[in-house]
Structures are given as structure tokens and as C-alpha cells.
């Protein structure tokens, strides 16, 4: 069969790319190895943090560019997918000041509070150092977003294949096209977009080396003692320990996790079992820092980070192959923007990648 573009991997990024390409009238096929809604990759779960608050102005600007695209997706899907509940960063003053400076540089609304004022405002949480609040932070509804993107891509004409088994990619002899095989199906196309998450290196093979490390991250939820308490999304920057982040996740409680704290795993073979030792460690943290939560974890699951050495994304094109590896544990908030960046490279709307995300070989 022929297509203009075959997208390999229907997580957040592949589904967003197919949505953009289908809306532009391209003949696009989205191929996913597992069933719809599976929990083997990086995009499953109820909620993800949306924030502008980065020390790095490049990501502040990307969040600013992504926000209206979230609204565009919501309009097309007819549902709310991003809720601005506010986001709090707290921790050592130098860290918080650097984030504040990046927000100021991009004229983003923000508020600096001392620990006492913050504790009064969010009595479910405890603070002991500098606190920065920005109202244009909040939560993306992850599962709902992926489902909406897949549904809308299909509605705009994309062919969406779930449970296809692992797709393989071959660049043709002339180097101006690809053949993608999955199960007993085969597509010849001008371009392939590889958004295979933790499997990106396996799918790309010799096409391009992408330096990624895959880790198994763990997600816990805790029950608010008083359901009426207000919960912004939050990041606790700690001097000698991983950042702790979380948010109110509708129907699950308050999510509390450690960032980049998981073991390196092989996505193809290793088990996805939560680690009881880490669960206890997070429960101890909650006991110390969240007076408003019952420190008994109520819901634990796992998820994969695919991290580059710089924690930057890889968004680039090599011949007829577009590469999207936008994770490093912080990609979801940019989903509709990254989808557009990948679609632009696939259909030639853009011929040069953002230099920041170009493949470094
Ligand atoms: C615990 C956790 C918390 C996070 N929290 C946040 C947050 O608060 N804010 C934020 O912005 N980001 C967050 N992230 C990061 C964000 O979720 C990821 O960056 C994003 O989901 C990556 O999407 P993806 O499409 O690249 O990967 P995936 O969703 O993994 O998609 C890749 C898809 O490719 C498929 N695939 C692989 N190989 C093949 C093949 N050969 N053939 C066909 N299909 C294939 C896989 O099955 C998978 O469905 C978090 C991630 C985790 C794990």
C-alpha cells in the first residue's frame, strides 16, 4: 500500500503528528504495536504537569507556543484537555530565582512567596524555602489527550492501526522513500516519522544513532484528608535528592513522584513492577511534606522515561526519516507543538529542525 507518511508509534507524540498531517490533507498511516490505551510506554495515566516554569527560557517559550495549540486541539476534539490550576516551584532560593528570572524574561505572570505565606495558601503542603507560583501552570489530561488525538486524526482521514506488532523501517535504495512493515501489512511512503518512545533506537537501527537511556519511573497517588483543599501542580527542588513533582489527578488523588529516580531498563524485556522500597520512600516523603495527605499510597503504577544526555529532545530529519524523541520525562506538556514540529519536517513545511533539538552525531 502507498501513503504519504507512515508514523511509527501512537503515543502522545506520534498521535499528535498524525493529527497535524491528517488535518493538512496528507495520506497518513499511524501504526502502533500495542492495543489502544496500553500502559507499556510513556504517555499513559490520567494527568501530567503543564508548566512554563523552567530555568531554561527555550522551554518557557515552547510552553507559551504550546498553550494555544492545546486550545486548538480542545476545539477540534470538543473536550477539555488542559486545566490551568496553577503550578508551584519551591526549594533553594538560587534555583527558584533562576526559574523566576526565566519567567520574567518571557513576561509570564508569577508570584514569589515566603514559606509561611505559601503554607497558609496551600495548607495541604509544607514549605521551608523559596516559593514561586505561576498561574499558567496546571495539568494535561494524558490518556484523554492521546485518545482525542488518535480519534481526531482518524476523523480527518488518517489510517490508525493498533496491535500491529512491532513495525520495522527500511529506507529505499534511492534514499527518497521508506518501506514500513507491521505484521502482514506493508506501506511504501515518501516519509516515515519515528515516534517510538523507549524503542526509538530499535526502530531506527542504522538510520541514525539516538543517544537515549530508558528508565522505569514510578507513580504513586495519595488521598487528600480534606477533599476541599486546593492543590496546584508542584515541583520541590531539593539540593541532594531528586526533584519531587506532582499534581491533583482527577479520580486518583494527589500524584507524588521522584523525577529521574528509576532504574535503567530494557523496554522490550524488563518487568514493569513497582518497587516497594521506592513506594515506602515516597510515602515517607509525603508524611514529612504533605500534612494534607494520607501517607498511604492508594495507586501505584510504572511508566518509562526515554532520556537524552542533555535531557533535551531530539526532533530532526535524516533523509526520508523524521525522528521524534521528545521525552526525558518532560515532553507531554509540549505534545501539540512537538506534533506540529514533526509534521512540519515530514511534509517540508519546515526544512530545518530547531537547532536545539537537532541530532548530534
Ligand atoms: C512517570 C512519568 C511522568 C511524567 N510526567 C510528565 C509531566 O508531568 N509533564 C510532562 O510534560 N511530561 C511528563 N512525562 C513525559 C511524557 O509523558 C513523555 O515525554 C511523553 O509521553 C512521550 O511520548 P512519546 O509519544 O514520545 O512516547 P510513548 O508514549 O512511549 O509512545 C511511543 C509509542 O511507540 C510504540 N512503539 C514502539 N516501538 C514500536 C514499533 N516498532 N512499531 C509500532 N509502535 C511502536 C509504543 O508502543 C508506544 O505506544 C512523564 C513521563 C513519565 C513516564
Amino acid at each position: 500500500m502507498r501513503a504519504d507518511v507512515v508514523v511509527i508509534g501512537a503515543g502522545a507524540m506520534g498521535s499528535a503528528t498524525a493529527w497535524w498531517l491528517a488535518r493538512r490533507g496528507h495520506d497518513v498511516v499511524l501504526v502502533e504495536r500495542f492495543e489502544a490505551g496500553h500502559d507499556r510506554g510513556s504517555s499513559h495515566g490520567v494527568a501530567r504537569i503543564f508548566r512554563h516554569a523552567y530555568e531554561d527560557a527555550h522551554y518557557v517559550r515552547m510552553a507559551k507556543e504550546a498553550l494555544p495549540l492545546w486550545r486548538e486541539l480542545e476545539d477540534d476534539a470538543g473536550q477539555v484537555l488542559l486545566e490551568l490550576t496553577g503550578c508551584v516551584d519551591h526549594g533553594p532560593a538560587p534555583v527558584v530565582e533562576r526559574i523566576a528570572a526565566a519567567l520574567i524574561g518571557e513576561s509570564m505572570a508569577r508570584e514569589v512567596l515566603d514559606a509561611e505565606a505559601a503554607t497558609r495558601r496551600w495548607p495541604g503542603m509544607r514549605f521551608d524555602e523559596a516559593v514561586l507560583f505561576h498561574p499558567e501552570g496546571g495539568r494535561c489530561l494524558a490518556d484523554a489527550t492521546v485518545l482525542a488525538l488518535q480519534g481526531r486524526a482518524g476523523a480527518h482521514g488518517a489510517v490508525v492501526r493498533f496491535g500491529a506488532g512491532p513495525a520495522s523501517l527500511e529506507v529505499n535504495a534511492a534514499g527518497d522513500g521508506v518501506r514500513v512493515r507491521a505484521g502482514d501489512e506493508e506501506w511504501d511512503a515518501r516519509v516515515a516519522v519515528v515516534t517510538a518512545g523507549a524503542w526509538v533506537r530499535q526502530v531506527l537501527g542504522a538510520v541514525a544513532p539516538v543517544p537515549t537511556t530508558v528508565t522505569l519511573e514510578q507513580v504513586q497517588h495519595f488521598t487528600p484528608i480534606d477533599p476541599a483543599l486546593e492543590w496546584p501542580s508542584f515541583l520541590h527542588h531539593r539540593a541532594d535528592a531528586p526533584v519531587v513533582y506532582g499534581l491533583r489527578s482527577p479520580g486518583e488523588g494527589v500524584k507524588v513522584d521522584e523525577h529521574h529516580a528509576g532504574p535503567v531498563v530494557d523496554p522490550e524485556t524488563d518487568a514493569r513492577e513497582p518497587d516497594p522500597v521506592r513506594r515506602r520512600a515516597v510515602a515517607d516523603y509525603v508524611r514529612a511534606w504533605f500534612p494534607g495527605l494520607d501517607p498511604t499510597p492508594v495507586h501505584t503504577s510504572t511508566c518509562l522515561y526515554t532520556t537524552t544526555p542533555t535531557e533535551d529532545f531530539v526532533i530532526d530529519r535524516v533523509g526520508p526519516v523524521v525522528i521524534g524523541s521528545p521525552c526525558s520525562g518532560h515532553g507531554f506538556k509540549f505534545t501539540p507543538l512537538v506534533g506540529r514540529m514533526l509534521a512540519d519536517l515530514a511534509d517540508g513545511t519546515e526544512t530545518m529542525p530547531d537547532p536545539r533539538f537537532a541530532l548530534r552525531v
Side-chain angles (χ1 to χ4, degrees):
M1 285 175 280
R2 280 215 62 79
D4 295 333
V5 184
V6 178
V7 179
I8 299 177
M13 305 306 162
S15 304
T17 307
W19 176 64
W20 281 99
L21 289 167
R23 288 196 305 159
R24 292 177 183 174
H26 295 296
D27 184 2
V28 56
V29 176
L30 177 60
V31 186
E32 168 54 47
R33 63 180 290 173
F34 298 121
E35 72 286 356
H38 74 89
D39 63 358
R40 317 260 319 146
S42 304
S43 297
H44 58 276
V46 170
R48 297 281 192 277
I49 293 177
F50 179 88
R51 60 185 162 102
H52 290 81
Y54 278 83
E55 290 187 28
D56 186 327
H58 196 89
Y59 286 110
V60 180
R61 286 191 289 275
M62 281 184 72
K64 282 176 87 173
E65 212 179 333
L67 186 51
L69 303 181
W70 277 100
R71 302 311 182 203
E72 192 173 328
L73 171 58
E74 291 178 329
D75 289 347
D76 188 48
Q79 62 190 112
V80 172
L81 297 168
L82 170 61
E83 296 165 313
L84 297 181
T85 57
C87 187
V88 166
D89 285 78
H90 65 111
V95 176
V96 170
E97 281 157 15
R98 285 196 296 271
I99 300 171
L103 290 178
I104 292 166
E106 295 299 325
S107 314
M108 295 298 305
R110 79 255 150 229
E111 217 181 310
V112 174
L113 304 92
D114 63 28
E116 221 181 304
T119 304
R120 276 197 304 278
R121 185 138 159 208
W122 299 288
M125 303 170 71
R126 188 167 75 79
F127 304 90
D128 69 348
E129 294 176 282
V131 182
L132 172 70
F133 173 74
H134 77 291
E136 289 180 283
R139 60 177 174 234
C140 321
L141 303 178
D143 285 337
T145 296
V146 175
L147 213 56
L149 286 164
Q150 293 162 350
R152 295 311 300 162
H156 290 291
V159 171
V160 184
R161 284 275 186 281
F162 292 110
S168 64
L169 167 68
E170 201 185 301
V171 175
N172 68 17
D176 63 359
V178 296
R179 176 163 291 176
V180 175
R181 290 191 183 85
D184 52 14
E185 292 193 274
E186 190 175 282
W187 296 272
D188 290 319
R190 281 184 302 103
V191 175
V193 177
V194 177
T195 45
W199 292 265
V200 66
R201 288 164 53 168
Q202 286 91 327
V203 175
L204 284 173
V207 171
V210 178
T212 53
T213 302
V214 178
T215 54
L216 184 68
E217 302 298 326
Q218 193 156 310
V219 173
Q220 283 86 202
H221 294 81
F222 299 84
T223 308
I225 293 166
D226 170 359
L229 277 178
E230 195 199 323
W231 300 92
S233 297
F234 53 84
L235 289 93
H236 183 190
H237 306 269
R238 302 185 293 176
D240 336 303
V243 169
V244 171
Y245 68 92
L247 72 172
R248 179 75 187 255
S249 184
E252 295 185 308
V254 174
K255 176 178 176 174
V256 183
D257 312 333
E258 292 181 304
H259 190 43
H260 287 297
V264 174
V265 292
D266 175 339
E268 199 56 31
T269 55
D270 287 341
R272 298 280 201 289
E273 291 315 306
D275 172 354
V277 175
R278 289 177 54 209
R279 183 164 44 216
R280 266 196 305 280
V282 173
D284 292 344
Y285 170 89
V286 165
R287 197 168 289 109
W289 287 92
F290 285 86
L293 293 179
D294 173 343
T296 317
V298 287
H299 171 64
T300 304
S301 60
T302 60
C303 182
L304 300 176
Y305 276 11
T306 307
T307 302
T308 61
T310 59
E311 297 189 17
D312 273 327
F313 305 149
V314 174
I315 299 175
D316 202 345
R317 179 170 175 158
V318 176
V321 180
V322 172
I323 302 162
S325 183
C327 179
S328 297
H330 69 111
F332 205 98
K333 64 182 74 63
F334 305 112
T335 293
L337 173 62
V338 168
R340 190 183 70 188
M341 294 165 84
L342 294 166
D344 287 354
L345 288 173
D347 69 6
T349 303
E350 190 55 73
T351 51
M352 294 304 292
D354 175 333
R356 179 69 180 266
F357 303 134
L359 204 50
R360 297 192 182 94
V361 284

